[in-house]
mmCIF file of all heavy atoms in Angstrom:
data_model
loop_
_atom_site.group_PDB
_atom_site.id
_atom_site.type_symbol
_atom_site.label_atom_id
_atom_site.label_comp_id
_atom_site.label_asym_id
_atom_site.label_seq_id
_atom_site.Cartn_x
_atom_site.Cartn_y
_atom_site.Cartn_z
ATOM 1 N N LEU A 17 -8.591 5.497 3.733
ATOM 2 C CA LEU A 17 -7.696 5.369 2.516
ATOM 3 C C LEU A 17 -8.195 4.213 1.688
ATOM 4 O O LEU A 17 -8.225 4.310 0.456
ATOM 5 C CB LEU A 17 -6.299 5.240 2.879
ATOM 6 C CG LEU A 17 -5.645 6.517 3.522
ATOM 7 C CD1 LEU A 17 -4.159 6.295 3.972
ATOM 8 C CD2 LEU A 17 -5.698 7.760 2.560
ATOM 9 N N TRP A 18 -8.562 3.110 2.354
ATOM 10 C CA TRP A 18 -9.031 1.933 1.625
ATOM 11 C C TRP A 18 -10.351 2.290 0.920
ATOM 12 O O TRP A 18 -10.500 1.922 -0.225
ATOM 13 C CB TRP A 18 -9.177 0.776 2.542
ATOM 14 C CG TRP A 18 -10.086 -0.337 2.063
ATOM 15 C CD1 TRP A 18 -9.787 -1.301 1.061
ATOM 16 C CD2 TRP A 18 -11.447 -0.581 2.397
ATOM 17 N NE1 TRP A 18 -10.822 -2.088 0.855
ATOM 18 C CE2 TRP A 18 -11.877 -1.668 1.662
ATOM 19 C CE3 TRP A 18 -12.335 0.075 3.273
ATOM 20 C CZ2 TRP A 18 -13.168 -2.180 1.784
ATOM 21 C CZ3 TRP A 18 -13.625 -0.489 3.401
ATOM 22 C CH2 TRP A 18 -14.089 -1.608 2.643
ATOM 23 N N ALA A 19 -11.188 2.938 1.640
ATOM 24 C CA ALA A 19 -12.533 3.374 1.051
ATOM 25 C C ALA A 19 -12.337 4.239 -0.150
ATOM 26 O O ALA A 19 -13.095 4.146 -1.163
ATOM 27 C CB ALA A 19 -13.430 4.058 2.091
ATOM 28 N N LEU A 20 -11.356 5.146 -0.117
ATOM 29 C CA LEU A 20 -11.121 6.087 -1.144
ATOM 30 C C LEU A 20 -10.397 5.487 -2.388
ATOM 31 O O LEU A 20 -10.695 5.754 -3.546
ATOM 32 C CB LEU A 20 -10.261 7.253 -0.694
ATOM 33 C CG LEU A 20 -10.887 8.341 0.144
ATOM 34 C CD1 LEU A 20 -9.889 9.357 0.721
ATOM 35 C CD2 LEU A 20 -11.929 9.129 -0.746
ATOM 36 N N HIS A 21 -9.394 4.649 -2.078
ATOM 37 C CA HIS A 21 -8.493 4.250 -3.105
ATOM 38 C C HIS A 21 -8.342 2.682 -3.180
ATOM 39 O O HIS A 21 -7.456 2.203 -3.945
ATOM 40 C CB HIS A 21 -7.110 4.857 -2.922
ATOM 41 C CG HIS A 21 -7.102 6.336 -3.021
ATOM 42 N ND1 HIS A 21 -6.512 7.178 -2.092
ATOM 43 C CD2 HIS A 21 -7.683 7.164 -4.007
ATOM 44 C CE1 HIS A 21 -6.671 8.453 -2.484
ATOM 45 N NE2 HIS A 21 -7.398 8.458 -3.615
ATOM 46 N N GLY A 22 -9.137 1.981 -2.402
ATOM 47 C CA GLY A 22 -8.982 0.485 -2.372
ATOM 48 C C GLY A 22 -9.107 -0.194 -3.761
ATOM 49 O O GLY A 22 -8.571 -1.271 -3.975
ATOM 50 N N HIS A 23 -9.835 0.459 -4.672
ATOM 51 C CA HIS A 23 -10.089 -0.131 -5.956
ATOM 52 C C HIS A 23 -8.765 -0.177 -6.777
ATOM 53 O O HIS A 23 -8.683 -0.846 -7.780
ATOM 54 C CB HIS A 23 -11.141 0.597 -6.763
ATOM 55 C CG HIS A 23 -10.968 2.060 -6.846
ATOM 56 N ND1 HIS A 23 -11.130 2.932 -5.766
ATOM 57 C CD2 HIS A 23 -10.613 2.845 -7.910
ATOM 58 C CE1 HIS A 23 -10.858 4.156 -6.112
ATOM 59 N NE2 HIS A 23 -10.600 4.162 -7.396
ATOM 60 N N PHE A 24 -7.773 0.579 -6.327
ATOM 61 C CA PHE A 24 -6.383 0.486 -6.939
ATOM 62 C C PHE A 24 -5.522 -0.516 -6.314
ATOM 63 O O PHE A 24 -4.421 -0.828 -6.824
ATOM 64 C CB PHE A 24 -5.692 1.882 -6.739
ATOM 65 C CG PHE A 24 -6.343 3.021 -7.490
ATOM 66 C CD1 PHE A 24 -6.710 4.258 -6.839
ATOM 67 C CD2 PHE A 24 -6.735 2.915 -8.856
ATOM 68 C CE1 PHE A 24 -7.314 5.283 -7.415
ATOM 69 C CE2 PHE A 24 -7.340 4.036 -9.456
ATOM 70 C CZ PHE A 24 -7.622 5.193 -8.766
ATOM 71 N N TYR A 25 -5.918 -1.131 -5.186
ATOM 72 C CA TYR A 25 -5.094 -2.117 -4.459
ATOM 73 C C TYR A 25 -5.262 -3.459 -5.028
ATOM 74 O O TYR A 25 -6.289 -3.839 -5.521
ATOM 75 C CB TYR A 25 -5.488 -2.153 -3.002
ATOM 76 C CG TYR A 25 -5.460 -0.903 -2.140
ATOM 77 C CD1 TYR A 25 -6.069 -0.846 -0.955
ATOM 78 C CD2 TYR A 25 -4.817 0.266 -2.608
ATOM 79 C CE1 TYR A 25 -6.045 0.302 -0.137
ATOM 80 C CE2 TYR A 25 -4.778 1.377 -1.859
ATOM 81 C CZ TYR A 25 -5.372 1.424 -0.584
ATOM 82 O OH TYR A 25 -5.341 2.610 0.158
ATOM 83 N N ASN A 26 -4.150 -4.253 -4.976
ATOM 84 C CA ASN A 26 -4.210 -5.686 -5.065
ATOM 85 C C ASN A 26 -3.177 -6.265 -4.190
ATOM 86 O O ASN A 26 -2.473 -5.580 -3.458
ATOM 87 C CB ASN A 26 -3.996 -6.118 -6.538
ATOM 88 C CG ASN A 26 -2.651 -5.757 -7.142
ATOM 89 O OD1 ASN A 26 -1.632 -5.979 -6.490
ATOM 90 N ND2 ASN A 26 -2.623 -5.148 -8.302
ATOM 91 N N PHE A 27 -3.238 -7.620 -4.033
ATOM 92 C CA PHE A 27 -2.378 -8.259 -3.031
ATOM 93 C C PHE A 27 -0.868 -7.808 -3.204
ATOM 94 O O PHE A 27 -0.279 -7.341 -2.223
ATOM 95 C CB PHE A 27 -2.288 -9.808 -3.226
ATOM 96 C CG PHE A 27 -3.684 -10.441 -3.126
ATOM 97 C CD1 PHE A 27 -4.221 -11.156 -4.155
ATOM 98 C CD2 PHE A 27 -4.364 -10.390 -1.902
ATOM 99 C CE1 PHE A 27 -5.471 -11.749 -4.042
ATOM 100 C CE2 PHE A 27 -5.619 -10.972 -1.720
ATOM 101 C CZ PHE A 27 -6.171 -11.638 -2.817
ATOM 102 N N LYS A 28 -0.332 -7.861 -4.361
ATOM 103 C CA LYS A 28 1.029 -7.592 -4.565
ATOM 104 C C LYS A 28 1.420 -6.186 -4.453
ATOM 105 O O LYS A 28 2.275 -5.792 -3.660
ATOM 106 C CB LYS A 28 1.486 -8.122 -6.006
ATOM 107 C CG LYS A 28 2.906 -8.013 -6.229
ATOM 108 C CD LYS A 28 3.278 -8.578 -7.666
ATOM 109 C CE LYS A 28 4.804 -8.456 -7.920
ATOM 110 N NZ LYS A 28 5.085 -8.972 -9.323
ATOM 111 N N SER A 29 0.634 -5.269 -5.090
ATOM 112 C CA SER A 29 0.988 -3.813 -5.048
ATOM 113 C C SER A 29 0.822 -3.256 -3.688
ATOM 114 O O SER A 29 1.686 -2.455 -3.257
ATOM 115 C CB SER A 29 0.178 -3.014 -6.052
ATOM 116 O OG SER A 29 -1.191 -3.086 -5.763
ATOM 117 N N TYR A 30 -0.242 -3.581 -2.912
ATOM 118 C CA TYR A 30 -0.442 -3.031 -1.629
ATOM 119 C C TYR A 30 0.623 -3.535 -0.646
ATOM 120 O O TYR A 30 1.134 -2.777 0.157
ATOM 121 C CB TYR A 30 -1.868 -3.308 -1.130
ATOM 122 C CG TYR A 30 -2.215 -2.509 0.096
ATOM 123 C CD1 TYR A 30 -2.752 -1.232 -0.079
ATOM 124 C CD2 TYR A 30 -2.076 -3.023 1.379
ATOM 125 C CE1 TYR A 30 -3.062 -0.504 1.080
ATOM 126 C CE2 TYR A 30 -2.368 -2.284 2.488
ATOM 127 C CZ TYR A 30 -2.870 -1.089 2.376
ATOM 128 O OH TYR A 30 -3.162 -0.272 3.480
ATOM 129 N N SER A 31 0.921 -4.831 -0.774
ATOM 130 C CA SER A 31 1.986 -5.350 0.067
ATOM 131 C C SER A 31 3.355 -4.748 -0.067
ATOM 132 O O SER A 31 4.004 -4.290 0.861
ATOM 133 C CB SER A 31 2.136 -6.929 -0.140
ATOM 134 O OG SER A 31 0.929 -7.570 0.109
ATOM 135 N N LEU A 32 3.682 -4.582 -1.424
ATOM 136 C CA LEU A 32 4.967 -3.867 -1.686
ATOM 137 C C LEU A 32 4.905 -2.380 -1.291
ATOM 138 O O LEU A 32 5.963 -1.876 -0.797
ATOM 139 C CB LEU A 32 5.268 -4.032 -3.169
ATOM 140 C CG LEU A 32 5.627 -5.427 -3.688
ATOM 141 C CD1 LEU A 32 5.790 -5.412 -5.163
ATOM 142 C CD2 LEU A 32 6.981 -5.855 -3.009
ATOM 143 N N LEU A 33 3.820 -1.765 -1.525
ATOM 144 C CA LEU A 33 3.670 -0.318 -1.042
ATOM 145 C C LEU A 33 3.848 -0.233 0.483
ATOM 146 O O LEU A 33 4.622 0.648 0.937
ATOM 147 C CB LEU A 33 2.286 0.220 -1.499
ATOM 148 C CG LEU A 33 1.776 1.480 -0.829
ATOM 149 C CD1 LEU A 33 2.709 2.636 -1.310
ATOM 150 C CD2 LEU A 33 0.299 1.762 -1.307
ATOM 151 N N PHE A 34 3.215 -1.078 1.165
ATOM 152 C CA PHE A 34 3.268 -1.032 2.669
ATOM 153 C C PHE A 34 4.692 -1.300 3.059
ATOM 154 O O PHE A 34 5.247 -0.554 3.962
ATOM 155 C CB PHE A 34 2.336 -2.087 3.241
ATOM 156 C CG PHE A 34 2.140 -1.960 4.765
ATOM 157 C CD1 PHE A 34 1.149 -1.235 5.320
ATOM 158 C CD2 PHE A 34 3.116 -2.567 5.588
ATOM 159 C CE1 PHE A 34 1.046 -1.100 6.652
ATOM 160 C CE2 PHE A 34 3.009 -2.486 6.995
ATOM 161 C CZ PHE A 34 1.987 -1.754 7.512
ATOM 162 N N ILE A 35 5.301 -2.372 2.592
ATOM 163 C CA ILE A 35 6.713 -2.661 3.018
ATOM 164 C C ILE A 35 7.646 -1.592 2.651
ATOM 165 O O ILE A 35 8.479 -1.205 3.452
ATOM 166 C CB ILE A 35 7.098 -4.015 2.339
ATOM 167 C CG1 ILE A 35 6.317 -5.207 2.893
ATOM 168 C CG2 ILE A 35 8.627 -4.326 2.502
ATOM 169 C CD1 ILE A 35 6.375 -6.466 2.115
ATOM 170 N N THR A 36 7.545 -1.062 1.379
ATOM 171 C CA THR A 36 8.486 -0.037 0.940
ATOM 172 C C THR A 36 8.277 1.237 1.872
ATOM 173 O O THR A 36 9.301 1.834 2.313
ATOM 174 C CB THR A 36 8.171 0.429 -0.504
ATOM 175 O OG1 THR A 36 8.345 -0.752 -1.320
ATOM 176 C CG2 THR A 36 9.191 1.456 -0.960
ATOM 177 N N SER A 37 7.086 1.676 2.145
ATOM 178 C CA SER A 37 6.836 2.855 2.971
ATOM 179 C C SER A 37 7.319 2.635 4.357
ATOM 180 O O SER A 37 7.968 3.561 4.908
ATOM 181 C CB SER A 37 5.325 3.187 2.954
ATOM 182 O OG SER A 37 4.865 3.517 1.635
ATOM 183 N N ALA A 38 7.149 1.459 4.875
ATOM 184 C CA ALA A 38 7.563 1.106 6.260
ATOM 185 C C ALA A 38 9.100 1.197 6.346
ATOM 186 O O ALA A 38 9.632 1.802 7.319
ATOM 187 C CB ALA A 38 7.034 -0.279 6.689
ATOM 188 N N LEU A 39 9.758 0.554 5.380
ATOM 189 C CA LEU A 39 11.195 0.472 5.483
ATOM 190 C C LEU A 39 11.928 1.784 5.222
ATOM 191 O O LEU A 39 12.862 2.097 5.881
ATOM 192 C CB LEU A 39 11.721 -0.664 4.585
ATOM 193 C CG LEU A 39 11.313 -2.115 4.884
ATOM 194 C CD1 LEU A 39 11.980 -3.077 3.949
ATOM 195 C CD2 LEU A 39 11.723 -2.422 6.375
ATOM 196 N N ILE A 40 11.396 2.575 4.302
ATOM 197 C CA ILE A 40 12.002 3.804 3.949
ATOM 198 C C ILE A 40 11.652 4.839 5.075
ATOM 199 O O ILE A 40 12.528 5.589 5.452
ATOM 200 C CB ILE A 40 11.519 4.347 2.591
ATOM 201 C CG1 ILE A 40 12.170 3.552 1.510
ATOM 202 C CG2 ILE A 40 11.851 5.890 2.402
ATOM 203 C CD1 ILE A 40 11.781 3.922 0.082
ATOM 204 N N CYS A 41 10.478 4.762 5.697
ATOM 205 C CA CYS A 41 10.194 5.519 6.854
ATOM 206 C C CYS A 41 11.203 5.237 7.930
ATOM 207 O O CYS A 41 11.797 6.199 8.539
ATOM 208 C CB CYS A 41 8.764 5.184 7.309
ATOM 209 S SG CYS A 41 8.314 6.039 8.885
ATOM 210 N N SER A 42 11.435 3.980 8.251
ATOM 211 C CA SER A 42 12.394 3.656 9.334
ATOM 212 C C SER A 42 13.808 4.014 8.997
ATOM 213 O O SER A 42 14.533 4.484 9.835
ATOM 214 C CB SER A 42 12.306 2.139 9.607
ATOM 215 O OG SER A 42 11.057 1.788 10.152
ATOM 216 N N ALA A 43 14.194 3.829 7.677
ATOM 217 C CA ALA A 43 15.533 4.202 7.278
ATOM 218 C C ALA A 43 15.749 5.725 7.379
ATOM 219 O O ALA A 43 16.785 6.195 7.871
ATOM 220 C CB ALA A 43 15.762 3.791 5.894
ATOM 221 N N GLY A 44 14.692 6.519 7.009
ATOM 222 C CA GLY A 44 14.802 7.932 7.165
ATOM 223 C C GLY A 44 14.954 8.392 8.582
ATOM 224 O O GLY A 44 15.808 9.253 8.964
#
């Protein structure tokens, strides 16, 4: 996924994406 889309990542957006996905996954 990094190889495919890593050019869209930055520190802030990827961190927030990871945290949001993790917490909503767990909440679900």
Side-chain angles (χ1 to χ4, degrees):
L17 291 176
W18 163 76
L20 282 172
H21 297 129
H23 53 289
F24 296 128
Y25 302 166
N26 61 48
F27 301 119
K28 188 177 178 182
S29 67
Y30 192 85
S31 298
L32 290 173
L33 167 64
F34 189 95
I35 292 166
T36 303
S37 298
L39 294 181
I40 289 180
C41 176
S42 292

